[in-house]
Amino acid sequence: MASEDYGEMSREDICEYLKEKGLGKWADKFKGKSVIKLRDLKNDGFMSGMGIHPPEDRQEILDSILKIWPSAPKVFNDPIHGHMELHPLLVNIIDTPQFQRLRYIKQLGAGYFVYPGASHNRFEHSIGVGYLAGELVKALKEKQPELNINDRDILCVQIAGLCHDLGHGPFSHLFDQMFIPKATRTAKMEDWKHEDASVDMFDHLVESNEDLKWRMKACGLNLSEDLDLDLDLVFIKEMIQPPAAQEESSPQWPYKGRPEEKSFLYDIVANKRSGIDVDKFDYFARDSYHLGIKNNFDHGRFIKFARVCEVGGQKQKHICTRDKEVNNLYDLFHTRYSLHRRAYQHNVVKIIEYMIAEAFLKADKYIQFEGSKEKKSTLSEATGDKEADTKLKGQQNPPCADKQSQIEGSKRRKLNLSTAIDDMEAYTKLTDCVFYQILNSTGTERDLIKAREILKEVVDRKHYRFLGEIKYEGIPTKDEISQFKKELAAALPFPQEGAPADGLTKEDFVVLPVTMDYGKKGKDPIDSMYFYNKNNPDQTFKIKREEVSKLLPVQFSETLFRVYSKKIDPKRLEAARGHFEKLKILKN
């Protein structure tokens, strides 16, 4: 498709844009047109017919508009999906600093310290999700034109897929699952997840990149705040971070971006109902490829058989699949479990993540990033001159007025590792590179020195050693983990009077609870999926596990206590193993 075939702008938007760019004298000439396309502007007779006769004026208008008009699409060559053609607006978003930051955040966090092939980053994963989101929604539009999927819907879904991981911190899930909960100051921030930052970062991306909003309007997106209209930016953010209760039985429609008849669009990027979405399609395929682990799930086949149906007699419509695809879906969730067991939750990966998080906590207040500009309410506060505000009052053109305007907003906030999540300008600078920033730091503060030592142990492969694991029923609390460590230290291989001969205490052990499941905690994820039959494609139903095979799992979740020793010299490591084996005997 040629670049002039992309995009159009309403007369209101084109007039507003011309005024913003100092070309307001020509704005009234466009009021007679409801919609303006680029191919029209390139035609000399179009602007002449509106009364814009000087060629230099027509060229100035055209040059200004070309800066925001979408260009031709670009093709990305990807090892997973082959040649991916992306809409020009997606390319504009990819080219922003906020998106380019994802080049420096490993997709599998500390997994690269164990799997040499796991060098891929959030950058290529996000592009893959944006591409697959477009493929799925386009397939639905082609198969079911009655769904009234329009170009705006497709573009919004693609943008949500592209931007869904903007908020990941250093080493991906390590940051929001192991570091932030221990580093934050309030209970509210303990529940902070990378999706929160993804929404904040998306807002920052749109606001801080010149003309991006105009490019969005030129591509047909509606950025109006009128609640009676479809809100495209709201819709994108709802797909990135769905409301907390995305329940199919919810009595009220919880979304604002799209009406209930388009509820199926919320199943594409982050499907909280069934867990089957294009995010998983990409990372299963991409992670398996880089880890050297076979992926049994065929997402292309799922897209071929995907169909939107009304479910459970409700108005809501969801993406369903053919009944014969139920085994393919079990393969999907088994692949998820296998990746967690063999890679994401690998015993060495988890302890390296623990050690990196430990180093981040100790270095937190010493590693700082420059954030957004501070707003000073008074000249006195900014200059330290207590009488400055008094001097300023009553003067028509006070000499310090210029100084006031320079000072307001001139000073930038300084934020550390944990507080950077409150300021997206600072957070943009926060990537995996902070690992080496700490490792190569020269500060003499005690905690910073300790942080350097921990990271050096990681680099030198002197990480805490794995002793073994014990199955645990349920999800352990912090008190239960602490009690387990006490029992571990007290479990002497050869009990003696007084202090243990080996000198090991509970502080010498690390206990990490690890939960692995099929994506729906202890539930069978297929229970949340609806199917259709080729003879009656509009009638949906569920399939019970017993109807599929007797060889499928009965339990869908398990929790393990992983036990590690901080002491890695041969003598004390052997003693630590003795403690663990003794405790296993005591707990049967």
Side-chain angles (χ1 to χ4, degrees):
M1 186 180 287
S3 61
E4 55 262 33
D5 292 326
Y6 270 97
E8 61 184 31
M9 290 184 76
S10 67
R11 63 168 174 258
E12 293 82 4
D13 286 341
I14 204 88
C15 291
E16 185 182 347
Y17 176 75
L18 291 174
K19 289 175 183 177
E20 184 180 296
K21 299 303 177 183
L23 301 170
K25 63 180 179 178
W26 303 115
D28 289 343
K29 302 291 185 182
F30 287 84
K31 287 187 176 178
K33 303 289 182 180
S34 58
V35 174
I36 292 90
K37 293 182 179 290
L38 181 59
R39 69 170 73 92
D40 298 329
L41 292 171
K42 285 188 172 182
N43 183 343
D44 285 341
F46 180 76
M47 282 196 272
S48 297
M50 293 192 300
I52 307 174
H53 299 295
E56 60 274 15
D57 289 337
R58 295 202 301 269
Q59 189 62 46
E60 186 178 9
I61 292 170
L62 182 60
D63 289 344
S64 178
I65 290 175
L66 280 174
K67 291 179 181 178
I68 64 164
W69 212 269
S71 58
K74 282 191 176 181
V75 176
F76 291 72
N77 191 16
D78 181 66
I80 309 304
H81 308 302
H83 294 91
M84 305 183 297
E85 184 176 293
L86 296 184
H87 188 284
L89 181 58
L90 302 186
V91 179
N92 294 146
I93 292 172
I94 289 170
D95 289 342
T96 63
Q98 292 75 26
F99 193 89
Q100 290 291 316
R101 163 183 178 269
L102 298 179
R103 288 182 183 273
Y104 311 105
I105 297 176
K106 287 283 182 289
Q107 171 78 6
L108 299 187
Y112 185 45
F113 286 97
V114 177
Y115 286 89
S119 58
H120 56 306
N121 302 300
R122 290 280 161 186
F123 179 82
E124 50 265 43
H125 163 64
S126 297
I127 293 176
V129 175
Y131 170 73
L132 287 182
E135 292 299 290
L136 179 51
V137 71
K138 288 174 189 175
L140 293 173
K141 179 182 180 180
E142 183 179 346
K143 286 185 286 188
Q144 297 178 265
E146 69 275 11
L147 296 175
N148 297 318
I149 299 172
N150 57 45
D151 291 341
R152 279 174 48 216
D153 294 333
I154 294 172
L155 190 51
C156 286
V157 169
Q158 289 175 308
I159 293 171
L162 187 71
C163 296
H164 79 288
D165 271 352
L166 282 177
H168 266 297
F171 296 93
S172 293
H173 290 292
L174 178 157
F175 190 79
D176 63 338
Q177 293 179 2
M178 302 181 79
F179 169 67
I180 286 295
K182 294 180 180 178
T184 46
R185 295 80 54 207
T186 64
K188 179 182 177 182
M189 296 311 291
E190 284 182 6
D191 296 328
W192 180 91
K193 294 288 182 280
H194 74 269
E195 290 89 352
D196 299 305
S198 291
V199 169
D200 292 341
M201 186 66 83
F202 178 73
D203 285 335
H204 179 57
L205 182 152
V206 172
E207 294 295 333
S208 63
N209 289 282
E210 186 179 6
D211 290 337
L212 185 59
K213 275 189 174 181
W214 288 115
R215 287 192 175 100
M216 288 178 163
K217 289 183 178 182
C219 290
L221 294 190
N222 174 22
L223 308 188
S224 168
E225 296 182 1
D226 187 343
L227 292 177
D228 293 329
L229 301 172
D230 290 349
L231 308 174
D232 288 339
L233 291 184
V234 172
F235 177 42
I236 292 167
K237 289 186 282 188
E238 286 176 338
M239 286 187 284
I240 293 173
Q241 187 184 38
Q246 188 192 16
E247 299 292 339
E248 57 187 79
S249 58
S250 177
Q252 292 186 331
W253 181 238
Y255 299 100
K256 297 178 181 178
R258 288 295 185 272
E260 196 167 5
E261 55 265 27
K262 289 193 174 181
S263 54
F264 60 91
L265 294 174
Y266 291 96
D267 290 349
I268 295 173
V269 176
N271 190 339
K272 302 300 182 185
R273 182 181 58 86
S274 70
I276 300 172
D277 51 48
V278 294
D279 180 24
K280 290 183 180 64
F281 294 175
D282 184 85
Y283 80 69
F284 286 172
R286 193 172 303 277
D287 293 353
S288 296
Y289 173 84
H290 286 280
L291 290 166
I293 296 174
K294 186 172 176 58
N295 174 27
N296 292 322
F297 175 69
D298 183 355
H299 62 262
R301 186 175 174 86
F302 180 90
I303 292 174
K304 287 289 184 186
F305 286 104
R307 180 176 178 81
V308 173
C309 307
E310 286 190 5
V311 300
Q314 303 173 23
K315 292 182 181 178
Q316 291 184 23
K317 299 177 180 178
H318 292 295
I319 297 175
C320 308
T321 192
R322 273 283 299 277
D323 49 359
K324 69 176 184 177
E325 291 305 297
V326 65
N327 281 303
N328 193 27
L329 296 188
Y330 272 113
D331 282 343
L332 179 149
F333 291 108
H334 182 72
T335 296
R336 181 188 188 277
Y337 170 78
S338 296
L339 286 170
H340 273 269
R341 180 83 196 189
R342 299 172 63 183
Y344 308 156
Q345 310 276 17
H346 186 284
N347 65 77
V348 178
V349 171
K350 294 309 293 182
I351 198 58
I352 289 178
E353 287 183 344
Y354 174 87
M355 293 176 71
I356 293 173
E358 193 178 28
F360 283 3
L361 287 166
K362 292 187 179 299
D364 187 9
K365 61 184 178 182
Y366 304 108
I367 305 298
Q368 294 195 322
F369 302 89
E370 195 173 72
S372 56
K373 292 178 180 178
E374 288 182 341
K375 291 183 179 179
K376 296 296 183 182
S377 56
T378 64
L379 188 61
S380 300
E381 183 183 353
T383 61
D385 181 356
K386 294 181 180 179
E387 299 181 359
D389 294 317
T390 306
K391 296 173 187 175
L392 190 62
K393 286 183 180 179
Q395 298 186 44
Q396 190 170 5
N397 293 300
C400 55
D402 288 339
K403 190 173 183 180
Q404 167 80 55
S405 62
Q406 290 173 12
I407 289 172
E408 283 187 356
S410 63
K411 189 176 180 181
R412 291 188 175 274
R413 301 172 66 196
K414 295 290 185 182
L415 299 108
N416 55 32
L417 274 176
S418 60
T419 57
I421 62 177
D422 299 326
D423 187 305
M424 289 300 107
E425 193 159 336
Y427 197 62
T428 303
K429 301 165 187 173
L430 192 56
T431 66
D432 290 1
C433 298
V434 73
F435 181 100
Y436 291 99
Q437 192 174 345
I438 297 170
L439 183 65
N440 299 323
S441 63
T442 57
T444 56
E445 294 83 359
R446 181 179 174 183
D447 281 346
L448 187 56
I449 291 172
K450 182 60 178 174
R452 282 201 300 268
E453 290 174 352
I454 293 171
L455 296 186
K456 190 170 188 312
E457 288 173 352
V458 170
V459 171
D460 293 344
R461 308 300 292 176
K462 295 179 179 177
H463 53 78
Y464 308 152
R465 293 299 190 252
F466 179 62
L467 300 178
E469 60 189 23
I470 296 176
K471 287 186 171 59
Y472 186 88
E473 294 298 325
I475 304 298
T477 64
K478 290 181 180 179
D479 290 340
E480 287 172 328
I481 295 171
S482 178
Q483 179 61 31
F484 186 86
K485 289 172 71 174
K486 289 179 182 178
E487 294 174 2
L488 191 58
L492 299 177
F494 304 103
Q496 299 177 14
E497 292 291 333
D502 53 35
L504 294 176
T505 69
K506 70 172 187 173
E507 302 305 323
D508 295 318
F509 296 94
V510 174
V511 177
L512 298 180
V514 174
T515 299
M516 288 172 280
D517 54 42
Y518 269 45
K520 297 289 284 184
K521 298 184 177 179
K523 299 178 181 178
D524 183 346
I526 303 302
D527 288 344
S528 302
M529 189 66 191
Y530 286 89
F531 298 86
Y532 68 88
N533 184 278
K534 70 175 182 178
N535 297 322
N536 193 355
D538 295 322
Q539 183 68 41
T540 62
F541 53 90
K542 292 189 175 184
I543 299 178
K544 294 181 179 180
R545 180 177 54 85
E546 296 80 8
E547 299 175 46
V548 181
S549 172
K550 292 183 178 180
L551 300 179
L552 292 171
V554 177
Q555 281 189 289
F556 294 89
S557 176
E558 66 175 0
T559 298
L560 306 172
F561 270 174
R562 294 259 180 84
V563 181
Y564 302 83
S565 170
K566 290 186 178 182
K567 305 299 182 183
I568 65 172
D569 60 281
K571 184 177 179 180
R572 285 189 289 182
L573 179 58
E574 189 59 33
R577 292 190 197 281
H579 280 250
F580 177 70
E581 293 302 326
K582 181 67 174 181
L583 185 63
K584 281 177 68 176
I585 294 171
L586 292 174
K587 287 193 170 289
N588 194 22

